Amino acid sequence: MIITFIRTLTLYFLVVVVMRMMGKRQIAQMQPFELVIAIMIADLAATPMENTGIPLLNGVVPIITLLSVQVIVSFISIKSEVVREIICGKPSILINRGKLVQSELRRLRINMNDLLEQLRGKDYPNLSDVEFAILETNGELSIIPKTSKRTVIVQDLNLKVQQEELPITVIVDGNLLYSNLQKTGRDEKWLHRELKKQGLESIKDTFFAFLSSEGEFFAQKKDLN
């Protein structure tokens, strides 16, 4: 039992490290070869966990090998457009200047119901509102609407706005995040003044506090129960 527990923990941490080294991507954002490697790694890790008779190295070595393959292929695909097209493929235009590209739909075996469903999922229920629809190499559908249907942005209105900043968290569950407070350019005296303005006596009484991108301070009191 202890051996199984140790083997499981070892493989778990190994797989976590390997997946982190593969990059910060969601499953839906993975390229086909990355998804295949992820599935194979999961299968290789499960086998030594289920059968203690199989040496642990029989799972560790193939996992490290697959990680090496993924890193090498990713590096080569960055340097070579040809290799990238072979490994990952290339985007496909399904709608070109408002017209369906029927040859691409047939080649990718996408029927109209599937395409319309994806368009609705992107908040474009009308096909006539779409200028371009591009199926990316990771399977995601990118939509470029017609000029008359695109969302109005600040630039369209010729307005001058202040540069947006990231909000900074300064207190989490009664604990002060000193490094974050320093990033705000404020000190603890300022923090205590702001807390008192919101009816909080101390940092320990605060569940969560942050400085918004507009420079406004927000804090919430910690529940007693």
Side-chain angles (χ1 to χ4, degrees):
M1 183 65 73
I2 296 177
I3 294 175
T4 303
F5 178 76
I6 294 173
R7 287 163 65 96
T8 302
L9 278 181
T10 302
L11 289 166
Y12 168 76
F13 285 114
L14 175 63
V15 171
V16 169
V17 170
V18 168
M19 296 304 292
R20 289 287 291 167
M21 292 180 70
M22 283 178 62
K24 295 182 178 179
R25 293 200 187 188
Q26 299 176 5
I27 296 296
Q29 296 175 330
M30 284 185 172
Q31 296 295 338
F33 82 96
E34 293 175 323
L35 183 59
V36 169
I37 288 176
I39 293 171
M40 291 178 69
I41 286 174
D43 188 55
L44 286 169
T47 304
M49 275 193 264
E50 293 172 352
N51 189 349
T52 55
I54 298 175
L56 193 59
L57 281 177
N58 284 20
V60 173
V61 173
I63 289 174
I64 299 298
T65 302
L66 286 176
L67 171 63
S68 303
V69 170
Q70 192 273 339
V71 171
I72 292 170
V73 171
S74 296
F75 181 78
I76 294 174
S77 65
I78 290 173
K79 299 294 183 180
S80 173
E81 189 67 26
V82 175
V83 173
R84 180 172 176 79
E85 284 193 15
I86 294 173
I87 299 296
C88 304
K90 58 182 180 179
S92 300
I93 300 176
L94 305 183
I95 300 177
N96 186 11
R97 300 194 181 279
K99 293 185 178 181
L100 293 165
V101 183
Q102 297 179 40
S103 59
E104 279 297 287
L105 291 173
R106 284 194 295 268
R107 186 179 71 83
L108 297 171
R109 296 181 297 279
I110 298 175
N111 60 52
M112 282 304 301
N113 287 334
D114 292 337
L115 179 59
L116 292 174
E117 181 180 341
Q118 291 214 45
L119 290 176
R120 289 194 297 271
K122 297 287 186 178
D123 295 327
Y124 290 98
N126 296 317
L127 188 65
S128 56
D129 295 342
V130 180
E131 186 74 9
F132 294 97
I134 304 165
L135 187 66
E136 307 293 355
T137 56
N138 62 1
E140 184 77 14
L141 187 67
S142 299
I143 307 295
I144 300 175
K146 291 186 176 178
T147 306
S148 59
K149 297 297 180 179
R150 69 184 177 90
T151 305
V152 177
I153 59 176
V154 173
Q155 187 178 359
D156 296 329
L157 303 175
N158 293 321
L159 296 176
K160 291 184 178 180
V161 295
Q162 188 175 358
Q163 182 66 37
E164 190 78 10
E165 300 290 342
L166 289 174
I168 301 176
T169 302
V170 292
I171 299 175
V172 176
D173 198 16
N175 296 310
L176 174 61
L177 306 180
Y178 289 99
S179 59
N180 284 5
L181 182 61
Q182 289 176 349
K183 290 178 183 178
T184 67
R186 275 82 165 181
D187 55 19
E188 287 190 53
K189 290 183 179 179
W190 169 86
L191 181 59
H192 285 291
R193 285 197 302 269
E194 293 297 320
L195 289 175
K196 286 183 178 180
K197 287 180 184 178
Q198 302 200 21
L200 296 167
E201 293 298 324
S202 68
I203 293 173
K204 295 295 181 184
D205 296 333
T206 309
F207 177 69
F208 186 74
F210 71 96
L211 194 68
S212 73
S213 55
E214 291 82 18
E216 297 182 16
F217 182 77
F218 295 89
Q220 182 176 335
K221 187 176 181 180
K222 186 189 294 187
D223 291 337
L224 298 177
N225 53 355

